[in-house]
Every structure is written in C-alpha cells, then in structure tokens.
Amino acid sequence: MLKGRTVLITGSTAGIGFAGACAFAAEGCNVVINGVEGPAVLREKEGLLRERYGVEVLASDADVGEAAAVERLVAEAEARFGAVDILVNNAVTRVFGPIEECSVADWERALSVNLSSAFHTIRCALPGMRARGWGRIINVSSVFGLFAAADRASYITTKTALIGLTRAVALETIKTEITCNAICPGSVNTTHSGQVIAAMMEAEQLTEEAAIERFLVGRQPGGRFVEPDSVAAMMTFLCGPGGRDISGATLPIDLAWSVS
C-alpha cells in the first residue's frame, strides 16, 4: 500500500526521524529528509537511504522554524515527486531550565520549530492530499505532551499544543481518506541523553548500563530507553491498512511511563 508513496519527515537526519525515514524507505516510499546539521550529514543520510533501500531521496536543509522555508520544502517535494502523501512532523528543539531563565529568543524558537512548523507543513501539504483523496499526517509529540515536569516549559507547552493541532486537523479531515494522529514517545537515547549519560559515567565512574539506569530513574518504569525503530514501526502502521480508521488519536510509546 505504501510503495511509491512520498513521505516528508522534518528533523530526520538522526534519532526517531531517521528511523522513520528508514522504515518508510523499507516500504518502498520516496523519502524527503530534512535537517540543519549541515551538507555532509545530509549527503551521508541520503546516500545511505539510496544504497540500502533503492528509493528516491530528496535531502533538504530547510530551517522549518521559518514559514517561508517550509513552503519551499513542501513545494520542492511536490515538484520532485508530484505529491506529499505522508507528512511526519518530527523537528524539535529543547530548552532546559527555569522559565524565568528562558530567553525570549529561545521561547520563540521553540514555538516556531516544535509547533508552528507543523502548522505550516500541514497547511502546505493538505491541499494536495485533499486533491488526491488520500493522506497521512503524524505529529511527533512526547509523553511531556501528556503530563508536565519542571524546567522545560517551552517543550511541554509546544508538545501539548501539538496534540491540540492534531485533533483539530483530524476533525477537519474526518470525511476524507486523510488521517492525522499524534504519537508520544518516552525517553529515546538522543544526542542530549547520550551527553548526560557520558558525563555521569565520567563523573561517577559508572558503567554505561548503570548510568543509563540512573538517568531513567523517575522516567520509564521499564528502566530502558524506547527504541527509535519502535516509534518508526508505529508510524508505518498508522499509514498502512490497519491505521485507516485511526484519526485524532494520541498514542503513547513510552513503556507505561504515562500510566505509572
């Protein structure tokens, strides 16, 4: 069902985003990857997808925190492949610390990348989906869209709002073959997590396993990270036959963290 479809994933040169790119490529999709880590990283990931899966790939360094850049990104994808059938909004920035120490610039950046970018990708891609009578939209929220924690106000605010946007779009597309869902991963071993764990290992002379266990205290009851491939598998499921009647859903992928 997905072979020949085109998927656009923002923030997709690493972690969950790249795992999603690989999963959709394995299904035979054309893939639009996006990231701001630089041309070398984009070339590497583009080459890997082409070589491993034999699919067509468009790599873009568009800064999705800017509305005009999003418009160009979607237009380039549609010009190259004729369609954006599947849209995954995964781009994110994180700011840690008390709210009074969060700069205005950091707050505005979090709003633009984590939330407004999804609004802009959807408004640009949705007309084409409506015209073709099919589309799948997945917004990557977080367990922190389901509950709060201290010292990450911009992240919690934007991830919570992303769930509201998901519900609104689902209702606006309810009589079509277009669905919109939010997935809420728990802790994934990201670059930030890896840096914290490495610092703990050095400072406290811990093994990696012990540092990971300590890092996850108060997070996932299972005591291990969520695997990016598990999140990617949910993405492809939502776009396949089994996901046809799922829309407006908020789906935790968190090893029961949100219910503990």
Side-chain angles (χ1 to χ4, degrees):
M1 179 178 179
L2 297 183
K3 186 173 182 180
R5 301 278 192 190
T6 295
V7 58
L8 188 163
I9 309 177
T10 63
S12 50
T13 53
I16 290 172
F18 189 68
C22 291
F24 282 108
E27 295 286 340
C29 293
N30 305 314
V31 181
V32 182
I33 59 171
N34 159 253
V36 293
E37 292 81 2
V41 173
L42 282 171
R43 285 195 299 269
E44 176 193 352
K45 301 301 183 179
E46 179 182 5
L48 192 155
L49 289 168
R50 289 180 186 276
E51 181 178 346
R52 182 180 296 176
Y53 303 104
V55 297
E56 290 300 311
V57 183
L58 172 64
S60 169
D61 64 354
D63 181 349
V64 296
E66 300 177 3
V70 173
E71 292 170 357
R72 289 193 298 270
L73 172 61
V74 175
E76 288 172 7
E78 291 182 334
R80 173 74 175 274
F81 298 115
V84 173
D85 302 295
I86 300 164
L87 173 62
V88 180
N89 287 305
N90 180 66
V92 66
T93 186
R94 296 175 176 85
V95 180
F96 297 98
I99 192 167
E100 66 269 25
E101 296 178 9
C102 179
S103 70
V104 172
D106 282 345
W107 174 262
E108 296 293 343
R109 180 66 176 167
L111 289 177
S112 65
V113 173
N114 300 359
L115 179 60
S116 293
S117 67
F119 163 74
H120 292 306
T121 57
I122 292 169
R123 75 174 176 84
C124 291
L126 193 53
M129 293 179 179
R130 289 189 188 278
R132 292 182 299 278
W134 194 93
R136 298 290 182 265
I137 301 168
I138 300 171
N139 294 321
V140 181
S141 180
S142 165
V143 290
F144 288 114
L146 304 174
F147 53 78
D151 296 334
R152 53 184 76 202
S154 63
Y155 186 76
I156 290 166
T157 299
T158 52
K159 290 301 186 179
T160 303
L162 199 55
I163 292 173
L165 176 63
T166 299
R167 292 168 176 165
V169 174
L171 289 176
E172 290 188 19
T173 56
I174 200 167
K175 294 186 177 182
T176 71
E177 286 292 327
I178 300 167
T179 65
C180 183
N181 293 289
I183 56 177
C184 297
S187 285
V188 177
N189 198 351
T190 61
T191 301
H192 170 76
S193 303
Q195 291 170 347
V196 174
I197 289 164
M200 291 170 63
M201 291 170 63
E202 182 176 354
E204 303 178 43
Q205 298 299 301
L206 297 174
T207 65
E208 183 177 17
E209 182 178 359
I212 289 173
E213 183 177 352
R214 184 170 299 183
F215 177 84
L216 290 175
V217 169
R219 291 180 170 88
Q220 282 154 193
R224 62 178 174 83
F225 283 109
V226 170
E227 293 295 330
D229 288 347
S230 297
V231 182
M234 177 62 80
M235 293 178 187
T236 55
F237 171 78
L238 288 172
C239 298
R244 180 174 182 263
D245 297 325
I246 303 173
S247 193
T250 302
L251 304 167
I253 310 170
D254 64 357
L255 291 166
W257 182 7
S258 58
V259 298
S260 63

